[in-house]
Amino acid sequence: MTFPLASLLAFFISSTAMAGQIAFIGDSLSTGGAAHPQLMFEAKQFRQVFEGVTKITPDASYFEQVKSLGYDFDSAPPPLRLDRSYREYQHPVFWFADNLWTHFSSQFLDAEEYAWAYLLSRKLGYDPQDVLITARDGEKMNHSLRQVDRLLEYTNGVLPEKVFIFFSGNDLCGSSLEYVTSGEDYEDDLLRTLRYLKLNGKPSPQGTKVFVMNPIGVLQVITASSIQNKMVPYHGKKISCKELQTKKPGEPTQMQLGPNGDIVDLAINMIANSPVGFCQTLFSIHGGDSQIQITLSNRISQYRKGIKSAVKTINELAGTDIRFYQVEDTKDLLFEGKDIANDCFHLSMFGHDKIVRAVESELKKKATL
C-alpha cells in the first residue's frame, strides 16, 4: 500500500513540526509597542525612524541591558509576527488598509525584542523562530478569537506547547466610558476564545498549556508620582509625563505639514504629539473626574474575576491534553518612572522585565513550566 507524498508531508508536519513552540495572544504589551528608547515624541527622531536612519532593532546597548537584567543570550533574532488569517477578510479596501497599518506599526513602532513575550521566551529556552506573536497593537479581548485563527492557520491546527493570553489596557480605552469593555463582555469573549481554541486546536505532542494573565494595574500610568514626574523628550525639550498626558491629540507640534510635506510628515502629525489618542478614557482622569477613575478601577477587577471564572469553566470541560491556567501575580506589579516608555503610556524594557519575573515566579510555584 502506498501513500501520496502530500499526505505523508501533512502527517509529518502535524505530528512533529509544531513541537517546541510558544505563542502570545494579546495587544501592544506583547509586541513591544513603543518600548524602544529611540521611540519618542520628537518629530525629527520619528522621521529618522521612518526613513530607516535610526533602527529600532537590538544594538550594543540592548545587549548590555538584557545582560544587566540577567538574561543569557547574545543574539536577538526577531520572533515571528503572524499575519491576519483569511477568516478576518471583510472587504478589499479594509484588508489593504488594515494590513498596511499592521506592517507600518510592526516596522516602525514595535520593538518585539524588548517585550516581555520575547524576553520570557528566551529565558525559557525557546528559539526566536519558535516564538509566535499573534498580538497586534490596539486589539482587545474581543479580538482574541481571531488571533487564535492566526495561530491555527500558521501551525496547521496544532497548538504550541505554551499559549499566553494577555490583554491589559485597550479594553479600558474608548472615546467615552460607554465604549469601555464591560466585565461581562470581557469574560464572554475570553470563554468563547478558550472554547474555540479547545475545539479547533490539536494539542502539541507534549501537551499544551494555556495561560490567561491578569491585567496589570494600568491606572498607575496616571496615578503613580514617579511616572507623572518622569521627564521625557518632546520636540526639542524635556517635559514631564503629566504634562505630556494632558496635551490634546490635536495640539500643534513643531513640525507641521507644509506645502512641501510628504507622507512622513503626515504620519508624524498624526501620532507625534500626545498619547491621549491611545486611550482617551484613561487620560481623561487628569480632568479630575473621580467617577472615571473608580469605573476603570472596578472594570479591571471585573476582568480579573472574569478570567478566574472562564478558566474554571473551561477546565471543567477540557481533557488533560490542553490545560488552562490563570496567571494572577501580574495584578500586583508596581511600576515606576523607569518602567515606562518615552510615550508615557507603554512599558520600557524595565517594565517588561517586571512582567517576566512575575510570570516566571508564579509558573515555577505552580509547577507549570
Side-chain angles (χ1 to χ4, degrees), residues 13-255:
I13 290 173
S14 64
S15 61
T16 62
M18 294 307 131
Q21 292 183 321
I22 184 171
F24 296 88
I25 293 169
D27 53 26
S28 56
L29 267 181
S30 298
T31 68
H36 196 285
Q38 292 299 323
L39 291 172
M40 59 189 72
F41 287 110
E42 284 278 8
K44 292 181 180 179
Q45 180 67 8
F46 262 114
R47 174 171 281 280
Q48 289 182 334
V49 170
F50 294 160
E51 293 181 343
V53 177
T54 298
K55 304 288 186 180
I56 55 170
T57 52
D59 55 13
S61 63
Y62 170 85
F63 292 107
E64 290 177 6
Q65 188 171 342
V66 295
K67 184 177 180 180
S68 70
L69 293 172
Y71 296 92
D72 185 21
F73 58 87
D74 55 12
S75 66
L80 291 179
R81 292 287 298 271
L82 302 190
D83 294 330
R84 292 167 63 83
S85 80
Y86 74 94
R87 290 180 177 272
E88 297 177 79
Y89 180 87
Q90 297 179 19
H91 186 278
V93 174
F94 175 81
W95 183 259
F96 171 79
D98 203 51
N99 279 283
L100 180 64
W101 170 248
T102 300
H103 179 73
F104 175 84
S105 60
S106 64
Q107 286 290 110
F108 303 117
L109 302 178
D110 299 339
E112 296 90 347
E113 297 88 350
Y114 288 70
W116 76 275
Y118 185 85
L119 297 174
L120 177 67
S121 300
R122 298 302 302 271
K123 180 164 277 195
L124 296 180
Y126 287 92
D127 291 329
Q129 66 266 22
D130 294 323
V131 181
L132 311 179
I133 297 179
T134 72
R136 290 206 323 158
D137 300 352
E139 296 204 329
K140 304 181 180 185
M141 183 59 81
N142 64 4
H143 295 96
S144 58
L145 190 145
R146 294 283 76 92
Q147 289 198 28
V148 172
D149 278 330
R150 296 168 202 168
L151 179 61
L152 297 180
E153 185 172 299
Y154 178 81
T155 64
N156 294 309
V158 181
L159 293 169
E161 291 179 338
K162 296 181 180 66
V163 178
F164 286 84
I165 301 175
F166 192 19
F167 290 89
S168 206
N170 294 316
D171 285 281
L172 295 175
C173 299
S175 57
S176 63
L177 285 177
E178 64 181 304
Y179 294 104
V180 172
T181 306
S182 69
E184 182 179 356
D185 285 345
Y186 190 95
E187 179 179 346
D188 288 346
D189 290 332
L190 172 59
L191 184 56
R192 187 179 301 111
T193 296
L194 298 182
R195 284 174 170 159
Y196 187 84
L197 186 151
K198 169 65 179 174
L199 291 173
N200 293 281
K202 300 175 184 176
S204 162
Q206 293 78 23
T208 292
K209 296 175 181 177
V210 180
F211 302 96
V212 188
M213 297 172 57
N214 271 352
I216 60 175
V218 178
L219 269 63
Q220 295 175 69
V221 172
I222 301 296
T223 59
S225 59
S226 64
I227 296 174
Q228 291 295 283
N229 294 329
K230 177 185 174 76
M231 302 300 291
V232 296
Y234 186 77
H235 301 301
K237 58 183 179 179
K238 290 267 192 174
I239 64 174
S240 69
C241 275
K242 183 173 183 178
E243 185 178 353
L244 179 59
Q245 291 173 358
T246 53
K247 287 185 174 294
K248 297 179 181 179
E251 288 184 15
T253 66
Q254 290 186 354
M255 179 175 284

Side-chain angles (χ1 to χ4, degrees), residues 275-300:
V276 174
F278 301 151
C279 192
Q280 293 182 44
T281 43
L282 177 65
F283 291 111
S284 66
I285 292 175
H286 280 304
D289 188 340
S290 61
Q291 186 56 46
I292 294 179
Q293 183 171 343
I294 293 171
T295 299
L296 295 184
S297 179
N298 289 339
R299 207 60 61 89
I300 295 173

